[in-house]
Amino acid sequence: METQSIRSKRSVRPRSERVIEGLIKAGGMSSILFIAGILLFILKESSGYIFGSFNFVEFFTSGEWNPASVEKIEYGTLALLAGTLSVTMLSMVFAVPIGLACAFYISEFCPPQLRETYKILIEFLAAIPSVVWGFIAVVIVNPLLINSFGVATGLNILNAALILSLMSLPLIVSIGEDALRAVPESYREAAEGLGATKWEIATRVLLPAAKNGLMAAALLGVGRALGETMAVLMATGHSIRFPSSVFDPVRTLTATIAAELGESPKGGEHYQVLFALGLYLFILSFAINILADWLVRGRGKKV
Amino acid sequence: MGKLIIKLYHPAALLLLLISCQRSGQHTIIQNKGSDTLVNLAQMWAEEYSKVEPTVALAVSGGGSGTGIAALINGTVDIANSSRRIKNQEKHDAEKFHQAAVQEHIVGYDALAVFVHPKNPIDGMTIEEIGCIYGKRGKCNYWSDIRGTVVPGCKDNQIIRISRQSNSGTYQYFRDAILGPTQDFRLGSMDLNGSREGIDMVAQTPCSIGYTGMGYLSNHVKTICIAKDSQSQCIAPTPANALDRSYPIARELFMYTVGPLKSDLKKFFDWIKTDAAKKLTIQSGFVPVP
């Protein structure tokens, strides 16, 4: 009896395990498959332009984005890139210091019983849909900027950067906090044993030790900000130009795709160029993610 | 018994049922194609008309006025929508192919209004002045460039140009009417995605100027009158002025058919003149035919 039950258990468990293992494997593989599929799709839709009338110099170095021109149709993306980069960089100027300070506070300074509450509150920011952020940008931040700075329009780089920094904060805080938690407790104990204050531990021990993780947190924040569309479409003012101040409206790569794709005839040149823009964005954010990954893993090993 | 019921649910049985229903319904399909400016209105009409006349279905598609008229010439559509008058050559081709006369139906008017913030002292502008603000070759970047205007609440007096995304019919008509057929908009305008957004933006921004279809106007912004040139009278954008063509940025919206109207088509064109259809015309931002 006993041997039989053991045998039956043996023959049943591996089968169910194999099924589960298979499912997990399929799940893992599917994400690779999806990424590859998306890349292939974008390539396919844009190939007509990229391998056809693609004008390298115009695409990368001209600021004239004029798909419906009666004079000369041009697809220069430099002004759009300037818009994307200016908004992203300014948002990181706000979000990275605040986000990392927040991560330090939650991980090191905050009373342990409040830690979970803070984390939930911060992560709640991530649950707000981006169109709601856009709405906040138009209805609240816009008049606020007009009234406090006396600028002509409140839909500009600063507005979008403020909104984006709030949107990327949760990511920076939670990844930054993970990086700080990952620093072995022995580091803190050793520093405390040497008579270091909490501030000294944070700045001289934890900051160097978790440097790579914190850098990755910041870079993932950049990736988040770079790819954001709806809120940026509403907050930037959607105006093609090279900005000369933070109060200038701009237009980003993502917002251009969102605004124009719906009404460009499928398969037409404009449609293909918008997919080429998508490919451009894909490569940009892919590069940033790879960089973040390399910082965490490649350089992490040396520490 | 049970088996019989199950058999009725069999896909093939359902298919047969569907086919027999369709046959008894006798659907007539009116093919309708053309202007992208008109496509939304035509679709709304089609939906509403299917409630009035369930046996007639309008198949509406866009593609542009030229595409619609070309399809009419080739006989692939019953109605061509157009936001411009048919060219003589096109009319000639259609009549030669079909051996019948082309009929023109004016189904509404597309009149664009230009508006500014209520604080802006400007009441009217000439086409040339608006072109100077919006056009690629124009150089008016400050309100002071327009007859030395100073706008209260607009600190540096800079003009904030509100425009539309480049695929919109409003954008294209405004460009044609104000800047002419060979000039682009100057880049650097704020290109919003809807008429409503443009009005809200101007209502909040003292420095700004915008344009929209007349049907979307609200009293949160100040609508200005338009003069053809500095010698002409400044005409306010009212439906009456659009109808008698005295307002400079208004155009007719056409539907073209060939030959004597079949009864289904005649019914549809009669229905367009009813209040139910006119309500949809106004909702789409156009002026209905009285």
Side-chain angles (χ1 to χ4, degrees):
Chain A
M1 276 299 281
E2 247 176 43
T3 50
Q4 210 180 352
S5 78
I6 287 170
R7 199 176 294 156
S8 71
K9 262 185 192 168
R10 263 187 198 158
S11 62
V12 168
R13 278 194 61 200
R15 191 181 297 160
S16 65
E17 248 169 43
R18 237 180 288 143
V19 170
I20 291 170
E21 209 182 284
L23 280 174
I24 292 171
K25 207 180 244 172
M29 294 299 266
S30 73
S31 66
I32 298 173
L33 210 70
F34 286 142
I35 292 281
I38 289 169
L39 186 61
L40 270 178
F41 174 71
I42 299 176
L43 267 175
K44 179 179 148 274
E45 294 296 319
S46 61
S47 60
Y49 172 68
I50 293 177
F51 301 113
S53 54
F54 184 60
N55 183 339
F56 186 87
V57 175
E58 179 191 279
F59 190 82
F60 289 109
T61 65
S62 163
E64 299 276 323
W65 175 263
N66 220 338
S69 171
V70 286
E71 294 178 29
K72 183 169 177 272
I73 291 177
E74 283 168 294
Y75 299 109
T77 60
L78 198 61
L80 306 178
L81 185 70
T84 290
L85 292 183
S86 59
V87 168
T88 306
M89 283 182 334
L90 188 62
S91 78
M92 288 305 114
V93 168
F94 300 134
V96 170
I98 295 174
L100 294 186
C102 209
F104 265 105
Y105 177 75
I106 289 175
S107 148
E108 305 301 321
F109 296 92
C110 139
Q113 61 270 31
L114 285 179
R115 183 172 294 148
E116 286 308 309
T117 319
Y118 279 136
K119 280 176 80 170
I120 290 169
L121 281 176
I122 293 280
E123 272 153 25
F124 181 72
L125 279 178
I128 301 174
S130 69
V131 68
V132 174
W133 282 115
F135 196 66
I136 292 171
V138 173
V139 177
I140 298 172
V141 185
N142 176 31
L144 196 75
L145 290 182
I146 293 179
N147 293 332
S148 44
F149 295 103
V151 287
T153 172
L155 295 186
N156 49 34
I157 297 176
L158 183 61
N159 187 335
L162 285 172
I163 293 293
L164 268 186
S165 60
L166 284 173
M167 292 179 79
S168 44
L169 260 184
L171 193 69
I172 297 177
V173 173
S174 55
I175 293 179
E177 205 244 0
D178 285 347
L180 289 170
R181 295 270 94 202
V183 176
E185 204 55 35
S186 57
Y187 283 36
R188 293 183 184 84
E189 284 159 4
E192 255 169 53
L194 292 170
T197 61
K198 270 199 153 181
W199 176 250
E200 283 166 343
I201 295 175
T203 52
R204 309 237 183 114
V205 178
L206 296 176
L207 193 63
K211 196 179 62 194
N212 294 329
L214 296 175
M215 202 98 93
L219 278 175
L220 285 173
V222 173
R224 171 86 182 85
L226 194 75
E228 175 48 41
T229 306
M230 198 57 215
V232 168
L233 173 63
M234 295 165 84
T236 51
H238 207 54
S239 165
I240 302 170
R241 70 176 82 188
F242 292 103
S244 55
S245 89
V246 295
F247 296 117
D248 275 353
V250 287
R251 196 201 267 202
T252 64
L253 290 163
T254 49
T256 302
I257 298 176
E260 294 180 3
L261 190 61
E263 289 181 62
S264 56
K266 193 171 187 293
E269 190 180 47
H270 185 197
Y271 177 89
Q272 291 170 347
V273 175
L274 289 176
F275 271 91
L277 270 193
L279 189 65
Y280 193 16
L281 258 175
F282 188 95
I283 292 168
L284 276 180
S285 57
F286 198 66
I288 287 169
N289 277 325
I290 295 273
L291 188 65
D293 206 51
W294 176 73
L295 281 175
V296 176
R297 268 200 260 151
R299 292 185 53 188
K301 274 178 197 159
K302 287 182 205 158
V303 175
Chain B
M1 268 303 282
K3 273 186 180 173
L4 192 73
I5 291 169
I6 289 168
K7 269 183 185 161
L8 268 176
Y9 283 105
H10 194 272
L14 267 175
L15 202 70
L16 263 172
L17 254 168
L18 268 173
I19 291 169
S20 58
C21 281
Q22 262 194 343
R23 270 197 191 149
S24 63
Q26 277 211 341
H27 261 63
T28 320
I29 292 176
I30 299 177
Q31 293 291 344
N32 173 285
K33 193 187 182 85
S35 164
D36 287 320
T37 312
L38 253 170
V39 71
N40 286 329
L41 175 59
Q43 238 145 27
M44 281 163 82
W45 276 344
E47 250 168 63
E48 191 66 27
Y49 192 63
S50 70
K51 290 177 199 158
V52 183
E53 206 70 52
T55 57
V56 178
L58 255 87
V60 179
S61 58
S65 301
T67 319
I69 291 173
L72 187 76
I73 295 172
N74 299 332
T76 54
V77 297
D78 304 298
I79 305 174
N81 302 338
S82 178
S83 54
R84 60 166 171 83
R85 185 159 259 133
I86 193 168
K87 289 174 191 157
N88 277 334
Q89 183 61 44
E90 289 167 339
K91 199 176 173 190
H92 178 81
D93 289 348
E95 288 175 352
K96 196 174 155 199
F97 187 89
H98 294 280
Q99 294 295 318
V102 169
Q103 285 199 44
E104 182 178 285
H105 313 264
I106 294 174
V107 295
Y109 294 87
D110 183 12
L112 298 189
V114 178
F115 52 86
V116 293
H117 190 269
K119 278 187 192 162
N120 195 318
I122 280 185
D123 292 313
M125 271 197 243
T126 63
I127 298 269
E128 196 191 340
E129 284 170 334
I130 301 172
C132 181
I133 291 175
Y134 275 102
K136 198 170 191 174
R137 297 194 277 277
K139 290 186 172 59
C140 303
N141 288 314
Y142 295 90
W143 281 109
S144 50
D145 296 331
I146 308 292
R147 286 167 272 137
T149 307
V150 175
V151 180
C154 174
K155 212 174 171 190
D156 52 5
N157 220 20
Q158 200 186 344
I159 302 175
I160 301 281
R161 284 167 282 141
I162 312 290
S163 187
R164 293 286 307 279
Q165 87 277 17
S166 55
N167 327 61
S168 104
T170 311
Y171 169 99
Q172 283 163 13
Y173 176 45
F174 191 75
R175 179 179 63 195
D176 292 347
I178 301 289
L179 309 176
T182 57
Q183 193 183 176
D184 279 333
F185 280 105
R186 188 150 82 253
L187 293 182
S189 57
M190 292 169 77
D191 309 324
L192 305 183
N193 252 340
S195 300
R196 174 68 38 214
E197 281 89 336
I199 290 170
D200 289 348
M201 177 60 97
V202 171
Q204 286 176 0
T205 317
C207 303
S208 60
I209 180 170
Y211 61 87
T212 181
M214 204 187 273
Y216 295 112
L217 277 179
S218 88
N219 47 15
H220 298 294
V221 291
K222 178 178 173 183
T223 311
I224 61 172
C225 64
I226 312 281
K228 257 199 188 95
D229 47 54
S230 51
Q231 267 82 48
S232 308
Q233 206 191 339
C234 198
I235 310 286
T238 61
N241 290 341
L243 287 181
D244 69 12
R245 304 302 313 276
S246 59
Y247 186 66
I249 17 181
R251 58 177 172 176
E252 296 103 333
L253 298 171
F254 301 100
M255 283 189 173
Y256 286 101
T257 54
V258 187
L261 285 182
K262 283 182 279 178
S263 66
D264 285 327
L265 285 179
K266 192 173 176 339
K267 261 191 195 160
F268 174 67
F269 281 112
D270 286 340
W271 177 81
I272 284 179
K273 292 174 189 129
T274 62
D275 285 340
K278 280 182 186 173
K279 217 174 103 190
L280 297 177
T281 314
I282 295 167
Q283 258 180 45
S284 315
F286 301 127
V287 181
V289 182

